Amino acid sequence: MTKLIIIAWLLFCSHAYATNIFKLNPESKNVDLTSIQPNHPHWNASSIYVAGDVVTHNNSLFIAAFWVKGIEPIENQPHWDGWIWLQNTVIEKWQANKVYQGGNLVKHGADYYLARYWNESNEPAPHSSWQKIKDLFYQTPDLPPEHPDDYKTLDGVDQNDNGIRDDYERYVYEKFDSPQLITFSLGAASTLQLVIDIEQGRIPNLDADIGRQIILDIMNINYCTRQLQNEFSDFRNPKSLYFNTIDRAYTNRKSQNKIADILRFEPSYHWMADQHCEALIGAKK
């Protein structure tokens, strides 16, 4: 409890007051960030940012995907470093019959969604090819409380509707002090949930391209975990924390076998793994 109170106090005192997409007009369609505030604040290594905060760095715009501090925004697609790289300053309203790539950010209704992988005509919704971006900034230490059904199902419970299972989210905030570990673990949740979604038949268009990207992302999580363990020897792989029941662990194995069947004739594709961990390593605490 003391640790949570300290974290909450630090968040309150050091949050960077950047433009935040959640504070914009919910009735607007496309959102042009340059017209809202042409001079977005420059990223500051000592500031704390929360989901939706917009910063500029190296002449590019970035939006915080969740709580992040001390991790430099870089121009990459993986978002477990806490940042969404905006290759276009306009966040477009979601459109049916349009192809979206993993990492694309769209507005749908009053909400913002991040594409988890390539998709077309998949309307943003929970447990789909989209992850809802929601402010994870807690000004008090009140995390989602324990629920009787936290461990009874594969999906568990998500009482605050932010796309991250509550028992996993509580563990991350309560056990980790380092911003790198919090940010990376929260970011990995989206990829790991995909494994559970596959087993429950929620990805009807699962094919070699989607399967390959999921496996590459899991490989990157493994790689970044090993890099972080050089600095934090007790850090556990987010996979072992996410698949924390027998049923969830078994689902992980079955889903990866299902993907492996699709990719059985592609033995060397693993060399495509990006291994983007530079921003996480040595970030300021």
Side-chain angles (χ1 to χ4, degrees), residues 90-225:
V90 176
I91 304 174
E92 296 183 347
K93 180 180 179 181
W94 176 82
Q95 303 175 51
N97 302 317
K98 181 173 180 178
V99 172
Y100 294 95
Q101 305 294 332
N104 285 166
L105 187 69
V106 300
K107 190 171 186 291
H108 186 52
D111 299 315
Y112 294 88
Y113 289 85
L114 182 73
R116 299 160 80 190
Y117 52 84
W118 183 98
N119 74 85
E120 181 179 8
S121 298
N122 291 348
E123 184 174 1
H127 297 299
S128 69
S129 54
W130 297 92
Q131 180 182 10
K132 185 177 180 180
I133 300 298
K134 190 168 182 177
D135 194 340
L136 302 188
F137 179 41
Y138 296 104
Q139 292 194 6
T140 72
D142 296 327
L143 291 168
E146 293 187 18
H147 190 283
D149 296 330
D150 272 338
Y151 303 98
K152 290 183 178 179
T153 64
L154 294 176
D155 290 327
V157 179
D158 181 13
Q159 297 175 82
N160 57 1
D161 189 33
N162 60 22
I164 301 177
R165 204 177 65 226
D166 289 350
D167 67 278
Y168 179 83
E169 185 177 0
R170 282 196 307 271
Y171 186 97
V172 169
Y173 276 108
E174 291 174 353
K175 299 299 183 181
F176 300 146
D177 290 319
S178 163
Q180 298 114 293
L181 303 187
I182 294 174
T183 300
F184 173 66
S185 299
L186 293 177
S190 175
T191 293
L192 300 177
Q193 179 61 37
L194 278 173
V195 175
I196 290 178
D197 289 347
I198 288 173
E199 182 57 27
Q200 299 194 83
R202 291 173 176 152
I203 307 180
N205 58 334
L206 178 64
D207 58 16
D209 289 336
I210 295 173
R212 182 187 300 107
Q213 189 57 57
I214 292 172
I215 293 297
L216 291 176
D217 283 348
I218 290 175
M219 292 175 61
N220 284 327
I221 289 173
N222 293 337
Y223 177 84
C224 293
T225 295

Side-chain angles (χ1 to χ4, degrees), residues 201-257:
R202 291 173 176 152
I203 307 180
N205 58 334
L206 178 64
D207 58 16
D209 289 336
I210 295 173
R212 182 187 300 107
Q213 189 57 57
I214 292 172
I215 293 297
L216 291 176
D217 283 348
I218 290 175
M219 292 175 61
N220 284 327
I221 289 173
N222 293 337
Y223 177 84
C224 293
T225 295
R226 291 194 296 272
Q227 294 298 308
L228 286 168
Q229 285 172 340
N230 291 329
E231 185 175 355
F232 306 95
S233 58
D234 295 332
F235 179 54
R236 297 174 61 194
N237 193 312
K239 289 196 305 182
S240 64
L241 306 178
Y242 204 83
F243 305 119
N244 58 356
T245 67
I246 292 177
D247 288 341
R248 289 169 183 166
Y250 184 47
T251 294
N252 175 40
R253 178 179 290 272
K254 288 195 296 182
S255 293
Q256 293 202 44
N257 286 341

